[in-house]
Amino acid sequence: MKSTILLLCMFISVAANSQDNKKYADAMHRNLQMLDTAMTVTSFQLLANSFERIGNAEKDKWLPFYYASYCFARVSYLTDDKSKLDGMLDKAQLLIDKADTLQPSSSEVYAVKSMIASARIMVDPASRGMQFGPQAAMMLEKAIQLDPENPRPYLLKGTAAYYTPPAYGGGKEKAAALLEKSISKFESFRPADALSPDWGAARARQMLEMCKE
């Protein structure tokens, strides 16, 4: 009798765990589908908040915090009011640090850390470039070191080069070479699973076309 009760409890526990995993996967899939087409501050903001709620409910999973931070970073690039950027980027940093704790030494995490550092420059390029420019570059080198086949660090390096004058080590020619490398790596890159980061290929192609103009 005792063994029957024990087996029944184990079955209920496994069934409940399976249901929780499906609920998590379904919520993440819905958000990732919306992320594919997000273009506005509002859409990225809503997604950031939604991913954060998932993370707070699934505290052992790094991807919700990663995507929430990525969305806040994207919002910062679309926001015209520079006075709002630091608060937004502080939030992005907090979330990516949580992802880093749960998934140490992740190339994807360091790529988003670089996005956050780059966005802080926009608040005041003249006074912040010397501090956050090298920090952003260092994060990208770390991302490449952790996974040389990850195409996103090369996309971000190419984007940075595009918006940096040739006199300061950037320019379209340098950007194009990095973006071509990113696109080449996107062609062979396969995410670890359906929820893992898979963004950037379209942006790399778009940036490369901009380099040719």
Side-chain angles (χ1 to χ4, degrees):
M1 184 62 180
K2 284 184 178 178
S3 61
T4 302
I5 293 173
L6 180 61
L7 284 172
L8 181 60
C9 289
M10 289 175 62
F11 174 78
I12 291 172
S13 176
V14 169
N17 188 50
S18 177
Q19 193 171 22
D20 287 345
N21 287 338
K22 183 178 185 310
K23 186 178 176 183
Y24 163 74
D26 288 347
M28 289 292 288
H29 278 299
R30 279 195 301 274
N31 278 3
L32 290 175
Q33 286 176 349
M34 289 188 280
L35 184 58
D36 282 342
T37 57
M39 297 288 287
T40 65
V41 167
T42 301
S43 57
F44 279 115
Q45 181 77 62
L46 289 172
L47 282 166
N49 294 337
S50 179
F51 277 122
E52 185 181 6
R53 283 195 296 274
I54 296 173
N56 289 335
E58 303 281 348
K59 297 183 185 300
D60 61 335
K61 294 182 170 59
W62 70 282
L63 283 171
F65 294 121
Y66 163 87
Y67 284 117
S69 179
Y70 169 73
C71 288
F72 276 120
R74 292 293 303 272
V75 170
S76 72
Y77 284 95
L78 297 171
T79 299
D80 293 327
D81 186 350
K82 305 303 181 192
S83 68
K84 295 181 177 176
L85 293 187
D86 274 331
M88 196 179 303
L89 293 167
D90 288 346
K91 181 75 174 179
Q93 187 68 52
L94 179 70
L95 291 162
I96 203 64
D97 286 346
K98 286 185 179 181
D100 194 15
T101 300
L102 293 166
Q103 185 75 358
S105 301
S106 163
S107 174
E108 303 290 2
V109 166
Y110 275 87
V112 171
K113 285 185 174 187
S114 172
M115 291 176 67
I116 295 168
S118 294
R120 290 194 189 276
I121 298 173
M122 296 188 300
V123 176
D124 185 357
S127 66
R128 293 192 170 193
M130 290 296 288
Q131 177 184 357
F132 291 106
Q135 190 178 110
M138 184 177 67
M139 295 296 177
L140 285 182
E141 292 306 320
K142 181 71 174 179
I144 292 171
Q145 177 190 343
L146 289 168
D147 183 2
E149 299 311 310
N150 185 352
R152 280 167 282 281
Y154 294 99
L155 162 62
L156 297 175
K157 286 186 75 171
T159 302
Y162 179 86
Y163 289 106
T164 302
Y168 292 94
K172 289 185 177 181
E173 186 176 345
K174 184 173 182 179
L178 289 163
L179 292 163
E180 285 171 354
K181 192 168 188 176
S182 173
I183 291 168
S184 173
K185 290 183 179 294
F186 270 118
E187 289 172 355
S188 57
F189 177 83
R190 298 292 179 272
D193 54 50
L195 301 182
S196 292
D198 193 25
W199 54 269
R203 179 60 175 167
R205 290 191 291 271
Q206 180 190 30
M207 289 295 303
L208 184 58
E209 289 304 310
M210 289 166 61
C211 291
K212 296 174 183 175
E213 293 174 354

